[in-house]
Amino acid sequence: MRIAELSKVSGVPAPTIKYYMREGLLFPGERTSPNQMQYDDSHVRRLKLVRALIEVGGLSVAATREVLDKMHTPGMTVLESAGKAQFAMSRPPAAEPDETQLAAAQQVRDLIAKRGWQVRETNPARGTLAAVLATLGKLGQEYWDLLDDYAELTERIAAKEIDTLLRQPNAESLAEALVVWTALGDAMFSALRRLAHEDAASAYITTPSPTS
């Protein structure tokens, strides 16, 4: 298919497709003449993945490019590459840690040990969580009563997600699903949490009577 048909099939405007190509998010098609390129279903699939990561997952173009690049790291298995791609979606602040952040990092280590999680020291989500806890502390927000609840819930969710991922038909599909669920799962959990917030808060809100 040519770019016009690729645009129609994928639902992505042709100028956006060309932009994604310039940014390295979409691999080139097969050149059939000096001025013509041919595209196939693999381009349609990649376009859907790119749009999902950017428009729903909230990743920047640069972050999306890094994630896609790491999905196919030379010399690594597909699953190892997928793990690197997932790590690329979690970036802790680069600022030099202060005492509060160092204390929060220790709290993260304690939490991981308490729950018996097998988590590498290099996992950037450690730093992200520590930065969140440090910021909550600086803002005077109590979080210790909630932290274990968050951990328990996410542990259950993660177990079910991994079970679902392992049912993928092949390693390539599993790697793509891991990346998609990392980005879109975050967005879905956030949306569900906001809906649940409104529901939980409704019990404390007095609705005026229609006759008052």
Side-chain angles (χ1 to χ4, degrees):
M1 69 184 82
R2 295 183 179 178
I3 196 165
E5 186 178 355
L6 177 61
S7 173
K8 182 178 180 180
V9 171
S10 66
V12 181
T16 302
I17 294 176
K18 293 177 181 178
Y19 170 67
Y20 287 163
M21 288 181 180
R22 290 196 301 271
E23 292 296 321
L25 303 181
L26 186 66
F27 42 90
E30 180 183 356
R31 187 172 294 281
T32 55
S33 71
N35 298 316
Q36 291 291 340
M37 301 289 283
Q38 194 74 11
Y39 305 95
D40 57 28
D41 290 342
S42 66
H43 292 87
V44 177
R45 187 178 182 87
R46 174 58 71 93
L47 276 172
K48 290 180 179 179
L49 177 58
V50 168
R51 294 202 87 181
L53 294 177
I54 292 176
E55 297 181 10
V56 183
L59 272 65
S60 66
V61 169
T64 299
R65 181 172 54 246
E66 182 177 2
V67 167
L68 295 175
D69 287 345
K70 289 184 182 298
M71 280 181 66
H72 303 284
T73 305
M76 290 189 175
T77 67
V78 173
L79 295 184
E80 288 172 335
S81 296
K84 283 192 169 292
Q86 187 191 49
F87 275 22
M89 288 185 241
S90 182
R91 292 188 176 279
E96 190 70 22
D98 57 23
E99 289 185 8
T100 305
Q101 290 167 323
L102 291 173
Q106 183 58 53
Q107 291 170 347
V108 172
R109 287 192 290 272
D110 292 343
L111 175 69
I112 290 172
K114 177 182 177 181
R115 302 205 67 85
W117 289 351
Q118 302 300 308
V119 181
R120 284 172 285 180
E121 289 287 342
T122 55
N123 192 321
R126 285 174 174 263
T128 301
L129 178 56
V132 171
L133 298 183
T135 302
L136 286 170
K138 290 176 181 179
L139 293 172
Q141 299 294 323
E142 297 293 333
Y143 59 81
W144 273 112
D145 289 344
L146 292 174
L147 191 56
D148 275 332
D149 290 331
Y150 271 107
E152 182 178 350
L153 287 171
T154 51
E155 188 176 286
R156 288 166 50 199
I157 292 169
K160 289 183 177 295
E161 287 178 337
I162 293 299
D163 181 63
T164 300
L165 289 171
L166 291 176
R167 294 191 215 130
Q168 295 294 320
N170 53 58
E172 187 75 20
S173 297
L174 193 157
E176 183 175 308
L178 176 61
V179 169
V180 169
W181 272 101
T182 299
L184 273 63
D186 287 350
M188 180 170 66
F189 185 77
S190 179
L192 286 167
R193 182 165 162 262
R194 282 161 173 73
L195 294 172
H197 275 167
E198 180 176 351
D199 176 68
S202 65
Y204 301 92
I205 299 174
T206 302
T207 304
S209 170
T211 57
S212 62

